[in-house]
């Protein structure tokens, strides 16, 4: 079993829809949780960074962490075609100098 | 602008050759990382370095080597011992203080011909 599980998709939604992306993990020691967006043939870019459980909002993006269920989510409101990309969840044990463990990524397609 | 520069963008390797992928950062970050990305497998850690002149093996270090002689630079050599080197290679860096994620380069696509 992988340490971090993520549905690879693809996930296709119409423009304007609310998108829910999820990851589950097995290591209860993870404390820092991140979401990255990766366009084709590009490096990932950091979207959201959260510590421990709770919600964090940034514009159209909301990240949720439920440590009791070992489950994290990324919500995208009013999805746009420019949101079409692969979304990677990542997590680490500590915040500094700790290596990240990544999910396999979910490919999202937002259609007109 | 600060960032991470990977070169070349595309690289072709013949069987039995060693090739070196370049990674340079001007972010003054302490830690640097090399990941390999394959379809359906996510990012897998090859090597990482938290300070100059020190580095550690990641999960899939066999067939790879690195050096960290300068804070700004963390080159990766793919040796002939790596049996399946065709992949997308990503370099990343991270500051040693505070809580944040990685900054990634734009990647190098390596293909064996």
């Amino acid at each position: 079993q992988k340490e971090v599980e993520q549905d690879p998709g693809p996930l296709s939604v119409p423009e304007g829809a609310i998108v829910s992306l999820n990851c589950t993990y097995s290591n209860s020691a993870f404390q820092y949780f991140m979401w990255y967006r990766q366009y084709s043939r590009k490096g990932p870019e950091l979207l959201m960074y959260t510590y421990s459980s709770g919600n964090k909002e940034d514009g159209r993006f909301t990240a949720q962490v439920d440590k009791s269920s070992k489950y994290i989510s990324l919500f995208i409101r009013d999805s746009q075609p420019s949101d079409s990309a692969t979304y990677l969840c990542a997590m680490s044990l500590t915040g500094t100098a700790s290596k990240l463990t990544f999910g396999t990524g979910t490919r999202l397609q937002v259609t007109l | 602008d600060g960032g991470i520069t990977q070169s070349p963008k595309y690289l072709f390797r013949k069987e039995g050759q060693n090739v070196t992928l370049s990674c340079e950062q001007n972010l003054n970050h302490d830690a640097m990382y090399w990941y390999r990305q394959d379809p359906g497998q996510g990012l897998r850690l090859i090597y990482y370095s938290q300070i100059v002149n020190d580095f550690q093996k990641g999960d899939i270090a066999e067939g790879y080597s690195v050096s960290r002689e300068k804070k700004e630079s963390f080159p990766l050599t793919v040796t002939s011992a790596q049996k399946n080197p065709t992949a997308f290679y990503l370099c990343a860096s991270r500051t040693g203080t505070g809580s944040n994620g990685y900054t990634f380069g734009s990647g190098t696509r390596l293909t064996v011909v």
Side-chain angles (χ1 to χ4, degrees):
Chain A
Q1 184 189 7
K2 291 181 180 179
E3 239 180 330
V4 179
E5 298 279 357
Q6 186 175 7
D7 188 331
L11 177 63
S12 183
V13 300
E15 184 178 9
I18 297 174
V19 176
S20 173
L21 302 167
N22 311 294
C23 288
T24 59
Y25 62 94
S26 57
N27 189 347
S28 58
F30 284 135
Q31 297 186 62
Y32 294 85
F33 304 90
M34 285 137 274
W35 285 95
Y36 285 84
R37 178 175 62 196
Q38 184 178 24
Y39 292 112
S40 182
R41 300 187 187 89
K42 301 290 185 184
E45 56 179 322
L46 182 65
L47 274 179
M48 301 288 283
Y49 187 101
T50 55
Y51 170 69
S52 194
S53 287
N55 294 357
K56 185 175 183 179
E57 187 173 325
D58 184 2
R60 296 186 295 112
F61 299 91
T62 299
Q64 287 186 351
V65 175
D66 182 349
K67 289 191 72 179
S68 62
S69 301
K70 300 193 190 71
Y71 187 87
I72 69 171
S73 300
L74 177 71
F75 297 95
I76 306 174
R77 291 182 298 279
D78 188 25
S79 56
Q80 303 296 310
S82 59
D83 294 328
S84 298
T86 296
Y87 290 81
L88 299 152
C89 65
M91 45 202 78
S92 68
L93 299 176
T94 63
T96 56
S98 176
K99 63 175 184 173
L100 295 185
T101 301
F102 285 86
T104 54
T106 299
R107 190 157 61 92
L108 172 66
Q109 182 71 40
V110 181
T111 58
L112 291 169
Chain B
D1 286 337
I4 297 180
T5 301
Q6 288 189 243
S7 62
K9 192 173 179 66
Y10 298 96
L11 185 58
F12 297 89
R13 192 195 93 167
K14 293 182 180 179
E15 295 280 354
Q17 273 186 339
N18 293 354
V19 291
T20 298
L21 284 59
S22 171
C23 178
E24 303 278 334
Q25 54 101 356
N26 60 5
L27 299 164
N28 200 33
H29 284 175
D30 298 301
M32 297 186 74
Y33 306 79
W34 274 106
Y35 281 88
R36 169 179 172 145
Q37 188 173 32
D38 297 278
Q41 296 201 52
L43 275 69
R44 292 183 291 167
L45 182 63
I46 304 172
Y47 268 98
Y48 64 105
S49 168
Q50 297 183 9
I51 56 172
V52 174
N53 292 322
D54 187 47
F55 48 83
Q56 286 79 40
K57 292 182 179 180
D59 301 317
I60 56 165
E62 186 175 350
Y64 300 97
S65 66
V66 294
S67 63
R68 186 86 186 276
E69 297 176 2
K70 299 185 299 182
K71 187 176 185 178
E72 304 79 24
S73 179
F74 192 40
L76 173 74
T77 296
V78 184
T79 74
S80 57
Q82 171 49 239
K83 297 307 178 189
N84 185 21
T86 294
F88 189 50
Y89 290 86
L90 287 161
C91 179
S93 70
R94 188 178 195 182
T95 184
T97 58
S99 300
N100 53 30
Y102 291 4
T103 300
F104 280 90
S106 56
T108 293
R109 175 70 184 177
L110 173 63
T111 303
V112 173
V113 296

